[in-house]
Structure formats: C-alpha cells, structure tokens
C-alpha cells in the first residue's frame, strides 16, 4: 500500500502526470515503446540490479559481462536492433549497468573514420561479436589535449606494417573502457611517423588479445586500472605497446592514408570529425546527465514527503521535511533545472539534426556554432547537474549516505561526465573563443550565427521591473540574463584588446583573461537555457495544466539563477538593490507554489522502482520498512571471520594483562 | 621499493619558495615542540610492522572491517604500552594507525567511555568502567533512529519502568524507532548506551540514557529480545560497522540507567536533574573538532591537487614552448588557491574554538557559563560553514585533477566520502545555521530594545545609529581599502549586520501577518541561513586577520597575508551581490576586487607547493598516488593498478564463463 503521506501529495496535482510524461517522451507512441522495453528488461532476472550495492568490483564486472551477453539474446528475441528506436530505452532500463559499451564506440569510429573496405571487413565481425572492441585514446599523461599524445606508430616500408610503441610511462593508454579485461581489439590513437616525419595523431586497429584463449598478444601489456569512484562494472584499462606490428591496412583511412611507398595522402574534409565529437557531447546530456538528475530528484523529493521531522506548529504532528522552506530551496531548483535542461536537450538535438542535414549537403557552415554550443552546454549541464545530484544526496541526511538510497552511486556516476568527452573548463574556453570572435564580428557589422545575434543588438539600460510580480514575466528575466551575458562577453573582449594593445602577447593575454572567459561562456549558456525554456513554455498546450506548471518551473529556474548570482545582475546597476529584493520575494513565493506539485512533477519522470533501485525513492513511500529489510541482506550480516580472529581474543581479554 | 629521486618540477617549486615551510608547520601544530612530538608518534606507528597492510582500496568491505578491528585492538594495547594518554596525542596515534579513517572502536573510545565518566554514578563506574577500559565490554552510543536524527525530542524508543521487578523494559515500538547508524553497533559492540524516552508512573519524562547489554559475553551472539546487525554498504565508512538495534521487551536492571543527574527511585519516583546546560559543553567540543576536521580534510585534498598540478604538464600556453605545468593556468589557480586559503583560515578558526572552549570550560568548573551560549551558537554555524565549504572544496580539488582524480588511487574520493557525512552528523548543517540565526536574531532584538550585546555579535550595536538612513542607501562613505585585511574585516562586518537586520525584519513582517511563530520562522529561514553564513564568514575573516599579527617570522607573515587577502577578496568576489546591494562596495570596486584576486593568484603561485608541504602530511597518511611528496606519479599509478583485484589472473574468469560461450554460439 502507498504511504498516505505520498498518496495525499498525488491527490492534489494541478496537472495531468500522464500528459507530462508523454510530453517528456516526445509522444504517446514513445511512452508506450519505452514502457514496453522497461517491462521486458525488468521482468528478466538476469538484469536485476538489486544486489549491486553489495557486490565487489570483480562481481560487478562479471555481472556486467553476463548482462551484455544475455542482452544479445534478448535483443534477438524481441526483435530489437542496435540502431532501432528501442535502443535508448534499453540503455535507460539497464541504467547503463552493462559491459561492452565501448564496443559501440569501436564500431562507430570504424564507420566514421574507416574506408569502405575497412568497414566491410570489421563491422560484420564486430556485429557478430567475433571480436570485442574498445577505443584507446586517453593516456596516463594526456587527456583532453589530444595533440600531446605520445604513443607512436612508425611505418615500416619493408614489411608494410606500422610498429606501435609506448615510448615512456606517461604514454601508456589509460582509462579506455572494456580494455582492462574484455576487449580483443582496440582503436589506438598514435602519432604517425613515416620516413622520420611526424604526421600527427591517427587511429589504428590493434588486436590485443587472442581470439582463442583471450591471452594477451605478443608485445601487449594490458590490465585493469583499479578501483574508481564508480563504474565498477567497467574494466577501464591500461595498455602498453612494445613493437606491436599491425598491417598497413589497419590504419583507419577514410581521411588519411599511407600508401605502400610511404606517401601520405589526405582526402576529404576532416571537419566531419568535429561533428562526431559534437554528436557525442550532445547525446551524453540526455543519457548520462539528465536521467541521473531526474532519478535523484525523484528519490529526494519522495523521501522528503515521507520523512517527518520536528514540528512546524505546536501540538501538531511532526512536519514533512518538504514543508521546510530550506528543504524546498535545496530541492525545487534542482527539479526546475532537470526540466530546463530537458528542454535545452531538445533544442540541441534539433540543431544537431539540422546540422546532419547540412553536412550531408556538404555545407559545413553550421559546424562552428554547433561545436561551440555543444562544448559549452556539455560543460554547463554536466557541472550544474552534478552539483544538483549532490544537493539531493545531502538533502536526504544520513540515509542519503547509505548506498541503499541509490544516491551515492548516481552521484559518483554523473560526476564522471564532468571529465570525459572534454574537461569542462577547456570546453568553456572553446565556447568563449567562439563568443569573442562573434562579438568582434558583430561589432564590425558582420553577420553572426543565430544563437549569438543578440550580441549585435547591445542596448544599455535598466531592468524595467516595478514590483515582484514583474519578475514573473519571461521578457523581464530573459532580458536580464541577456544583459549579463552581453556585459561579460563585451567586457572580456575589451580587456583582451586592452592587454594586446598594451603589448602583451596574444596567448598571455588570453591566459590572463581565462577566469572571465569561463564566466562569460557560462552566462551565454545560462541565457540560452532561460530563453529556450520560456519559448518552450509559450508553445505548450494550455490543457491539462501542463503549461501553467511549466511556466512556474521556468520562472523558478530563472529567478534561482539570479538569486544565487546577484552580483552579476547588480553589477553596473542593471538591476537595482530594491529590484533584487523583489527577485528574492518572488523566488521564495514560487517555492511554496511548486511545493504543492513537487511529487507529481517527479512522478512524471516515470521511473520504475527497479530502475530507481532506492530504498528511499520507491513509488509507495514505504521507506523505513524497505531500508530495514534490504540492510539485513547485506553480506556484512553473514557471519564474519573478524569475530573469531580478532574480536574474540580482544573481548576475552588479552588486554587486562597489560 | 628503492627511493626514486624527487620529480624535477617539485624540486624546482620547493627551491623557489620564499619562506621556510617548517616554520609554518610549527604554527599549525601550535609550536615546534608539538611538531616534534607529532612526528615522534607518527614514526612509532609508521615504523611498526603490525600496522602495515595491503592497500585498502583493493579489499572488500568485510575485509576492510576486519583489518580495522585488527589494528584497533593493537592500537589500544600499544597506546597503553607507550603510555600515551594526552587526548591530542591519542588522536594523532589513532589517526596515523587508521590513516584518517573511522574505525569500529571510535564510539567505544570517543562516546561510551567518556559518557560513563560524565554521566554514571560512582557505583555504575565501578561496575562498568574497568571492564570497558579493558575491552571486555565494548560499547557504542545508540541515539539516532531510522526516523529521527538531529531532532532528538522525536526519538521513539521507550524505556518503561516496572517497579515490581525494578527493571526498565526497552522497546522499539515502530520501524522508525529502530536505532540506526551508531558506529560499532552492527558487529563489534556487546553493550550500547541507548537513548530512550523514559516512562515511569505512567508519565513520559523525556530522553534518558541506559546501559544495555546487547550480545552475550563469550559467544557474542545477540541476546534474546535483541535484533542487531550492520546497516549495509555506504558511500564511505567501509571500516565502520554502523548498525541497527531493535529491542523487544528487553529488560535491564534499574541500576543500568545512567543516574548521575536524573534518577528513578526503586518505587518509580522520578528525580529531576539539576541543570542540562552541561551537555552544551560536549556539543561545543565535538563541533569544534569538526571545524578542525574540515581544515585537515581540505588541506589533504589541496596537497594532492596542488602537487599533482605541479607535476602534470598539458597543452600549450605559448606557441612552440613545451607543455606547461597545469598549475600555471589561471583557471587552475582560480580553482585551487582560494581553497588553499580557506584551509588555512579553517585551521586558525579550529584552533580558536578549541582555545576558547578550553578557557570557558575552565570557567564552567568555576561556575561561569556566561560565554557558553554565544560559543554554542557560533560553533553550530561554523561547523556548518566550514564543513560545507570543505565538502565542496574537496570535490573541486578532485575535479581539478581531471580523470585521474576519479581513480581511487588519487585518494581524494576517499577523503570526500569520509568527510561528507560531517555535513549531517552532530547536527544537520541547515539546522545548525538556523541555531546560529536564532542567536543572531535574539541579539538583534536586544540591540533594538536598547541593550548592548558583546562578543562576536557586538557589531549589531552599531545598527540603530545607522537606521536614520533608509535601507539599501549607502549607509556610510565607501572607504574599503581592498589591500588591507583589517578594512576587509569591516566590509564583512557591514555585510553581516545588513543581512542579520534584513532577516530579522523579514521575520518580524511575517510575524505581523501570521499567527504561528514557527510558521513565520519557516518562511524566513532562507534569509536566516544567509544571515548566519554572513556572520560566520565575517568571524572567519576576522580570526584569520587577527592571526597575522601573531606571526613573528616576516616571510611567513607575508605569505599568510597573501592568503588572508585572497580568502577575503575571493569571498567578496563570489558574494558580490551582497556587498553591492548593501552599498558597501561599488561596481567599480568589485571590478578591482576581481582583478586583485587574479593578481594574488600569480603572487601565491611560486609558494603553492611549499604551502601544502607545510601541512606536513606523510605519504602514508595522505594515501594518494597523485599527491606523493616525490611527485613520481605515473610510475606509481601503474604499480598501483597492477594490484587491482581484476588483475589477479591474466585471463578473467568471465571469459570462460560468459564470453567464450557467446562467441561459440554466434
């Protein structure tokens, strides 16, 4: 039975939860398909994650391999395919807890970087799992800065082979997933040398394990890099290459080729490479970032509606902690962020699709803007959502600290997204470079891409709000965000120019402005998010209460951003001190309004209990009973050798003799 | 392993420092003699083969618990063998043995024994103390329940007195009343001090403490009526058997209630305690320890991140030149140096609270409790402020180490998971901030009614004089000098005064509109927390600034002054809105502050490594491959990884179990 404290929250919903779920999924058909996939996965005990919090690294890895193998069978049974519409729901239903994820990256890199001949040779092998692939780019000494990679591939004309080497310890491949124990092949990125000349980083297919007995191939040292904060199920690995020879045909050669005589040839445009990176950065937002945040919000908000602590009114029952303003102020902005970024993800996806179409028509004009947006949003969204999950974790007090709450593993997983696919600070600086360039172009009256046209229309002025209700007008707050973005971008551009004019070298000037540049890039992304949220709300249907509640969340997201960064908005007097008090008042009022719909708003994310895998967040709210029963199954409650070995001698008193 | 030469980058960094790190270490330790003694104890532990073991990162939770129990028993014996009895020295010894991690006897040593000493009658001490001292009795302190933590009055466990047998009957009447979280309860302890609602003669007399045997001496099996176990896996605290305890009509003799203060007589008559002020003292003490712990944990994370940033080279700053140390990037400095400054600030704040507590507890014995309420209110807020900052700061340090920070070999994940519960235990941080706020509002009300207040809140005395001016109009001429810490203390003071006043006024406005005091308080609580934060921030800047004049060595004073300025200015930069809104600083000044922060980063840069060396963490204690003193990071990461459990066999068993059959089928 459902805990009455949760049941009552659901009775008063101001909108249709089902309609909102459909909106989030993108249509009734998608919702149905997702539910069917979830049902098929969750009814199969092999995919259960119930014991995962009790498992060691070795057990997690084994379970993940088992699931990956079983998944092949399941997909076959269900008629699902790797490229079918079900795939993303499978990943969500498994919570990513499955091995061979890098196998897909291996295949994609061959499809994108390989010649037709290479594709024809390798893709069928990979599809049938005759081999297991990985993707070896990062090294001990180098991550985001790819030009710095140190692995070498020297072409030997005599044998028509590349000789791959790890010349020093920092050049060892480090981190690639599935490489520590599983992979038989990997794509190694290495500096290509032909006749003593370095041609930069190129990809090579290298076999690392025997297809018969899985033992390491000659010249290969590989293994697992050891325990991490999460991803225990993945065998992130190291790889040391010592005079490993691969045939000339193993260099992926869609864009560059080494001819038999050692001639190096470039062909086609490399710009498509950037497009791949862009695609990956955008696609991780929904799978790796939004889903964990939505889960964390679901757990923390449901738990806060069940947990009662202290009294708000004398003589009454203890209050739900969700009724405390401070608790609302912790959780509800995170909920608003989840929705805001869901809609920004839609926006980016749409842009990406347009990009695809243009690239197909050999038009690469959209790429700089897409690249800048994907970098900036990857950084801003991962950083903000990681912080949000941590807030949810801590808002659950002591019980949040138990793995059984589900929150620690959500946190340790999402936070990796701040690092992989480009370190966030570096990505923000890439966005900033684009913004500065566009600002200069706009100032010179040149055309700029659509997302930055606002830089051309700089209008000084003051925030026109006269009372706190004015701050619930999207025009008012969107313009405030725009003002801050323009101010930060233009003042940093001016600073850069000043420095350069005063004789500072360009790169030094750039480094001296990087803190400001990062802030400018964030302000830009924040502005686009608010603007997009407001525009999305505008277009929503007014039926079933959806538009109204989304408008509240949009207001909350925008005002929370101002409230927690007042300095940026007060600077230069755009917003006055009195207006800032209005912002605060409106913001705090909104908390109480959204409070009423908090539980329905997380219900709309539509996670099953199995998927949440949390003692605190289950739909029925039977928190304490579940926690108690689950804890009793912990392996630490089996008889431990510690008693016989250490406790007994201790208690039986070897000490009193001292 | 043969000693490798220190990495050339780190050698260069150390040679370029403008001050002697040992001198700063002495200041942090409280004098050269304390440093010497600390290192002596450190050597006792580190040279003892009994305390050496495999890297804990590679052990399962049960194995980690086992290691911890093994070391704890040895530790107790050796402490006595060496005659180490000073609390601080015991703390060092323990922390070196367990490398800064919790251990299963923590609650026995830190709560059970001290509670016996302070709350047991002489007769009870005779019965329990020596057996507990000799570890025949191992006890824990069972307060928190599933349903209640910081809000103690809500605890549901009952102890009902039965005069016919002269026993208390203990019960866990609901699921939510099950004791949950106490350390050492799950597997280690055979006794617990249980906090329960006392019922006698049909009346509830509130929370009292009872000594409850839970496991059979000899077999260690749970006693009939007792259900006890481990609460399962957690984010961290793998060594600790945090436990649950459910009691079902479990009877204990009347004499097992701790009766030094309150008593239940044989016929059931309840005798009230004289004063409950005394328990304040313990809370203040424990919270002061958390402030110190915030400083230490943040210092450890900074040590790792800064040394690693000096060793790691990446990308290019100048075209054509070799890859620079990542510590040379402004963005990296901006992430790390303000945290380094905060770590120093918190060290001094921790030392201040400890000294003040010592001074006041001297007074308590002589009956002068007048300073206690303020110290209690202040430590609540400072506990929250410093633990929040350190919690976020440790994570920033980890992020600043990029991918390798995410590996357990960096040591930062462990620092984080061990530290983060301090935001919750010993008083949930938001609740703590609101306690401080209560004191601030009370002080403000006193000032408004014409009384003077003293101590750290005395700045509130100035408010009525300024009240002629309407709020938000610049109340005073802008005279802040951004190069002068003393002047910045004044700026922080004004900010705190403004935010306290604004929260108090908003509270009053709510009270005028609504009936219930609690409701009004709740509707103002976000403002109140902000006011408390501003107050704590002011206190920290003030204490850091005050510390500078005590430093005699000019070179050390210079570098600490840079850090103090950075701490204060960075805080202004981050909270610029507060200073702008209250008219304490102009936009132009904020721009100057931002610029000066960046200049300070460059000034501190040459001393960064020496500043973390001064924390003087031994490599074993630091537990980080990235933060090693010698900087030989990559070689040792490889060595470390080879020991991973997944690498135990050349071909993992999953290959034979799953992979091979699949490949055969496809």
């Amino acid at each position: 039975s459902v805990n009455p404290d949760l049941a009552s929250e659901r009775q008063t919903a101001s909108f249709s939860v089902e309609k909102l779920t459909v909106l989030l999924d993108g249509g009734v058909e998608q919702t149905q398909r997702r539910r069917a996939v979830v049902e098929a996965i969750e009814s199969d005990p092999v995919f259960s994650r119930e014991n995962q919090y009790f498992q060691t690294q070795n057990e997690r890895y084994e379970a993940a391999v088992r699931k990956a193998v079983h998944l092949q069978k399941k997909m076959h049974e269900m008629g699902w395919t790797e490229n079918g519409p079900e795939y993303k729901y499978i990943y969500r239903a498994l919570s990513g807890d499955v091995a061979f994820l890098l196998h897909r990256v291996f295949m994609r890199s061959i499809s994108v970087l390989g010649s037709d001949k290479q594709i024809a040779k390798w893709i069928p092998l990979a599809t049938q799992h005759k081999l297991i692939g990985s993707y070896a780019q990062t090294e001990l000494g180098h991550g985001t800065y790819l030009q710095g990679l140190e692995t070498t591939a020297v072409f030997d004309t005599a044998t028509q082979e590349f000789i791959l080497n790890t010349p020093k310890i920092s050049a060892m491949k480090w981190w690639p997933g599935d490489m520590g124990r599983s992979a038989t092949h990997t794509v190694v990125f290495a500096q290509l040398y032909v006749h003593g000349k370095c041609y930069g980083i190129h990809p090579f297919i290298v076999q690392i394990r025997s297809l018969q007995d899985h033992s390491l191939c000659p010249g290969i040292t590989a293994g697992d890099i050891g325990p991490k904060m999460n991803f225990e199920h993945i065998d992130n690995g190291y790889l040391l290459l010592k005079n490993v020879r691969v045939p000339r045909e193993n260099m992926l050669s869609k864009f560059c080729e080494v001819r038999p005589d050692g001639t190096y040839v470039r062909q086609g445009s490399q710009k498509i490479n950037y497009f791949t990176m862009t695609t990956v950065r955008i696609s991780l937002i929904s799978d790796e970032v939004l889903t964990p945040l939505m889960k964390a919000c679901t757990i923390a908000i449901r738990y806060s509606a069940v947990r009662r602590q202290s009294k708000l009114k004398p003589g009454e029952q203890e209050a739900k902690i969700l009724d405390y303003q401070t608790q609302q102020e912790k959780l509800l902005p995170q909920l608003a962020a989840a929705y805001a970024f869901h809609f920004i993800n839609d926006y980016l996806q749409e842009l990406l699709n347009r990009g695809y179409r243009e690239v197909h028509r050999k038009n690469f004009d959209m790429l700089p803007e897409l690249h800048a947006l994907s970098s900036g949003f990857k950084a801003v969204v991962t950083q903000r959502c990681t912080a949000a999950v941590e807030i949810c974790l801590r808002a659950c007090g002591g019980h949040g600290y138990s793995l059984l709450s589900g929150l620690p593993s959500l946190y340790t997983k999402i936070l990796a997204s701040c690092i992989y696919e480009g370190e966030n600070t570096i990505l923000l600086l890439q966005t900033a470079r684009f913004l500065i360039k566009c600002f200069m172009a706009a100032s010179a009256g040149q055309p700029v891409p659509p997302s930055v046209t606002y830089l051309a229309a700089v209008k000084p002025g003051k925030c026109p709000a006269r009372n706190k209700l004015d701050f619930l007008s999207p025009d008012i707050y969107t313009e405030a965000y725009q003002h801050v973005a323009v101010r930060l971008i233009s003042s940093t551009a001016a600073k850069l120019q000043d420095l350069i004019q005063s004789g500072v070298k360009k790169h030094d000037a750039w480094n001296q402005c990087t803190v400001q540049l990062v802030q400018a890039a964030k302000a830009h992304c924040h502005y686009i998010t608010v603007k997009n949220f407001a525009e999305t709300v505008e277009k929503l249907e007014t039926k079933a209460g959806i538009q109204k509640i989304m408008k509240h969340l949009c207001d909350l997201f925008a005002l929370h951003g101002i409230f927690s960064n007042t300095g940026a908005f007060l600077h230069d007097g755009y917003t006055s001190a009195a207006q800032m008090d209005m912002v605060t008042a409106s913001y705090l009022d909104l908390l109480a309004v959204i409070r009423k719909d908090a539980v329905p708003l997380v219900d709309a994310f539509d996670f099953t209990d199995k998927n949440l895998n949390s003692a605190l967040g289950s739909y029925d709210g039977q928190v304490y009973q579940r926690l108690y029963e689950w804890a009793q199954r912990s392996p630490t409650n089996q008889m431990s050798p510690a008693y016989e070995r250490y406790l007994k001698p201790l208690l039986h008193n070897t000490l009193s003799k001292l | 392993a043969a000693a490798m030469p220190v990495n050339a980058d780190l050698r260069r960094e150390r040679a370029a420092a403008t001050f002697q790190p040992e001198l700063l270490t002495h200041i942090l330790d409280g004098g050269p003699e304390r440093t010497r003694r600390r290192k002596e104890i450190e050597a006792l532990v580190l040279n003892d083969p009994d305390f050496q073991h495999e890297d804990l990162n590679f052990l399962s939770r049960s194995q980690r618990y086992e290691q911890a129990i093994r070391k704890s028993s040895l530790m107790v014996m050796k402490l006595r063998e060496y005659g180490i009895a000073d609390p601080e020295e015991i703390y060092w010894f323990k922390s070196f043995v367990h490398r800064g991690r919790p251990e299963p006897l923590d609650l026995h040593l830190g709560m059970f024994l001290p509670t016996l000493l302070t709350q047991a009658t002489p007769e009870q001490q005779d019965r329990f103390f020596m057996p507990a001292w000799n570890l025949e009795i191992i006890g824990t302190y069972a307060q928190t329940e599933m349903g209640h933590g910081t809000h103690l009055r809500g605890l549901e466990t009952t102890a009902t007195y039965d005069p016919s047998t002269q026993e208390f009957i203990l019960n866990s009447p609901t699921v939510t009343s099950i004791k949950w979280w106490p350390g050492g309860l799950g597997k280690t302890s055979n006794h617990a001090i249980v906090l329960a609602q006392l019922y006698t003669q049909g009346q509830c007399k509130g929370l009292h403490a009872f000594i409850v045997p839970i496991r059979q001496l000899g077999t260690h099996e749970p006693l009939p009526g007792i259900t006890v176990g481990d609460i399962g896996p957690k984010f961290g605290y793998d060594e600790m058997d945090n436990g649950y305890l459910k009691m079902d009509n479990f009877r204990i003799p009347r004499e097992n209630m701790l009766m030094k203060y309150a008593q239940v007589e044989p016929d059931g008559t309840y005798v009230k305690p004289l004063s409950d002020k005394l328990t304040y003292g313990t809370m203040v003490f424990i919270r002061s320890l958390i402030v110190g712990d915030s400083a230490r944990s943040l210092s450890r994370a900074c040590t790792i991140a800064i040394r690693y940033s000096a060793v790691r080279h990446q990308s290019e700053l100048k075209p054509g030149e070799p890859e620079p140390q990542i510590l040379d990037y402004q963005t990296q400095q901006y992430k790390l140096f303000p945290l380094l400054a905060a770590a120093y600030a918190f060290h001094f704040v921790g030392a201040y609270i400890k000294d003040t507590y010592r001074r006041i507890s001297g007074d308590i014995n002589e009956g002068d409790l007048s300073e206690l309420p303020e110290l209690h209110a202040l430590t609540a807020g400072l506990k929250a402020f410093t633990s929040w900052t350190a919690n976020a700061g440790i994570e920033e340090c980890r992020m600043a180490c990029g991918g390798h920070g995410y590996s357990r070999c960096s040591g930062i994940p462990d620092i984080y998971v061990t530290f983060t519960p301090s935001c919750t235990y010993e008083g949930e941080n938001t609740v703590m901030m609101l306690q401080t706020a209560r004191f601030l509002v009370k002080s403000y009300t006193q000032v408004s009614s014409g009384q003077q207040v003293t101590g750290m809140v005395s700045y509130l005395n100035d408010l009525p004089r300024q009240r002629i001016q309407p709020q938000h109009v610049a109340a005073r001429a802008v005279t802040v000098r951004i190069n002068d810490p003393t002047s910045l203390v004044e700026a922080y003071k004004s900010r705190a005064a403004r935010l306290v006043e604004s929260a108090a006024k908003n509270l009053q406005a709510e009270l005028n509109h609504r009936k219930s005091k609690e409701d009004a308080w709740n509707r103002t609580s976000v403002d109140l927390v902000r006011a408390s934060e501003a107050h704590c921030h002011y206190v920290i800047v003030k204490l850091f600034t005050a510390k500078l004049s005590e430093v005699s060595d000019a070179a050390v004073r210079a570098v600490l002054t840079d850090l103090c300025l950075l701490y204060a200015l960075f805080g202004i930069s981050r909270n610029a809105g507060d200073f702008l809104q209250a008219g304490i600083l102009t936009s132009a000044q904020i721009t100057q502050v931002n610029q000066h922060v960046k200049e300070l980063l460059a000034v501190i840069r040459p001393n960064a490594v020496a500043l973390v060396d001064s924390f003087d963490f031994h490599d074993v204690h630091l537990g980080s491959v990235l933060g090693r003193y010698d900087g030989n990071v990559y070689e040792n990461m490889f060595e470390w990884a080879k020991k991973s459990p997944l690498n135990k066999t050349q071909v993992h068993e999953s290959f034979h179990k799953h992979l091979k059959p699949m490949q055969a089928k496809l």
Side-chain angles (χ1 to χ4, degrees), chain A residues 53-54 58 61-62 66 69 100 128-130 132 140-143 145 170 172 174-175 181 212-214 216 223-231 238 240 307 309-310 312 314 318 323-326 329-330 390 394 397-399 401 403 408 411-412 415-416 418-419 423 425 495 507-508 511-512 514-516 519 563 566-567 570-572 577 580-581 624-625 627-628 631-632 634 636-637 641-643 645-647 650-653 655 658, chain B residues 57-58 61 65-66 69-70 73 77 134-136 138 146-149 151 175-176 180-181 187 190 218-220 227 229-237 244 246 312 314-315 317-319 323 328 330-331 334-335 388 391 395 398-399 402-404 406 408 413 416-417 421 424 428 430 472 518 522-526 530 577 581 587 591 595 598 634 637-638 640-641 644-647 649-650 652 654-655 657-660 662-663 666:
Chain A
Y53 301 131
F54 300 142
N58 261 319
Y61 168 66
E62 195 194 318
R66 183 162 168 242
V69 169
F100 311 157
Q128 295 166 45
H129 284 87
K130 297 275 189 218
I132 293 162
L140 252 184
H142 288 90
Y145 181 65
S170 55
M172 196 174 350
W174 200 270
W175 281 111
R181 302 274 78 185
Q212 266 67 50
D213 62 5
H214 216 59
L216 292 172
D224 174 78
I225 62 161
K228 301 143 292 190
M229 287 189 94
N230 197 322
F231 293 90
Y238 59 76
L240 223 147
R307 175 92 171 168
Q309 204 76 178
S310 193
L312 267 177
E318 288 182 85
D323 285 326
Y324 290 93
Q325 191 188 50
T326 47
E329 213 267 320
K330 285 175 196 171
E390 211 243 351
R394 279 190 290 116
H399 293 326
Y401 190 71
L403 289 193
Y411 175 60
T412 51
L415 64 81
C418 295
I419 303 157
E423 197 275 333
T425 304
K495 177 88 202 254
H507 49 262
D508 280 332
N511 190 38
Q512 281 176 38
T514 44
V515 167
Q516 268 172 283
Q519 283 161 356
F563 174 77
T566 52
L570 286 162
H571 201 100
D572 80 356
M580 201 48 83
D581 281 344
Y624 299 115
Q625 194 63 38
L627 192 55
Y628 182 44
Q632 290 175 67
S634 167
T636 39
N637 286 324
Y643 174 69
R645 240 180 259 169
Y646 303 111
L647 267 177
L650 185 68
L651 293 159
H652 289 224
N653 222 338
L655 282 176
L658 285 172
Chain B
N57 286 299
F58 302 128
R61 214 195 126 210
Y65 167 68
E66 203 180 312
I69 275 284
R70 183 184 72 80
S73 8
M77 285 194 274
N134 288 326
L135 297 181
E136 286 159 50
I138 297 178
M146 263 196 153
H148 286 90
H151 180 62
V175 178
T176 45
W180 199 267
W181 282 111
K187 299 275 119 183
N190 53 26
T219 64
H220 210 57
T227 309
D230 174 83
I231 62 163
K234 296 147 299 192
F235 207 177
Y237 272 56
Y244 58 77
K246 185 169 176 289
R312 175 96 169 166
Q314 202 79 176
S315 194
L317 265 175
K318 298 190 176 121
E323 294 182 86
D328 285 333
Q330 189 187 56
T331 45
Y334 190 73
K335 286 175 197 171
W388 267 336
N391 185 70
E395 279 298 75
R398 188 183 52 67
M399 292 280 195
H404 295 332
Y406 192 74
R408 293 213 174 243
Y416 175 72
V417 298
T424 308
E428 197 278 326
T430 304
H472 302 318
E518 289 79 2
N522 186 31
R523 283 166 180 276
T524 323
S525 52
V526 168
R530 283 177 80 190
Q581 201 179 357
S587 290
T591 305
Q595 183 54 33
K598 286 187 274 178
Y634 297 133
M637 279 180 78
F638 188 33
W640 183 87
S644 165
L646 251 67
N647 291 331
T649 54
Q650 186 60 256
H652 197 271
S654 295
F655 172 71
K657 270 165 103 172
H658 306 294
L659 283 179
K660 214 173 168 183
M662 169 181 74
Q663 288 170 333
L666 284 168

Side-chain angles (χ1 to χ4, degrees), chain A residues 233-245:
Chain A
H233 60 292
I234 300 286
D235 51 323
N236 295 87
Y238 59 76
L239 173 67
L240 223 147
L241 302 150
K242 195 170 174 199
N243 290 323
V244 173
R245 288 176 170 263

Side-chain angles (χ1 to χ4, degrees), chain B residues 371-391:
Chain B
E371 280 186 72
L372 200 54
E374 178 179 1
L375 189 66
H376 180 245
L378 184 65
T379 46
L382 287 174
K383 178 257 178 190
F385 190 100
T386 58
S387 62
W388 267 336
T389 310
N391 185 70

Side-chain angles (χ1 to χ4, degrees), chain A residues 604-624:
Chain A
F605 296 142
D606 200 26
F607 292 109
T608 61
D609 285 353
K610 281 185 177 156
N611 198 233
L612 285 176
N613 210 21
S614 160
L616 306 188
S618 56
Y619 187 84
D620 67 9
Q622 300 297 351
V623 167
Y624 299 115

Side-chain angles (χ1 to χ4, degrees), chain B residues 50 116 123 211 248 257 310 317 367 379 463 557 606:
Chain B
D50 280 349
L116 286 180
E123 178 273 329
I211 301 177
D248 194 8
M257 175 172 137
L317 265 175
T379 46
L463 275 170
R557 193 171 53 242

Side-chain angles (χ1 to χ4, degrees), chain A residues 131-145:
Chain A
L131 56 84
I132 293 162
S134 172
Y135 181 86
Q137 179 175 298
T138 308
E139 296 172 0
L140 252 184
H142 288 90
T144 305
Y145 181 65

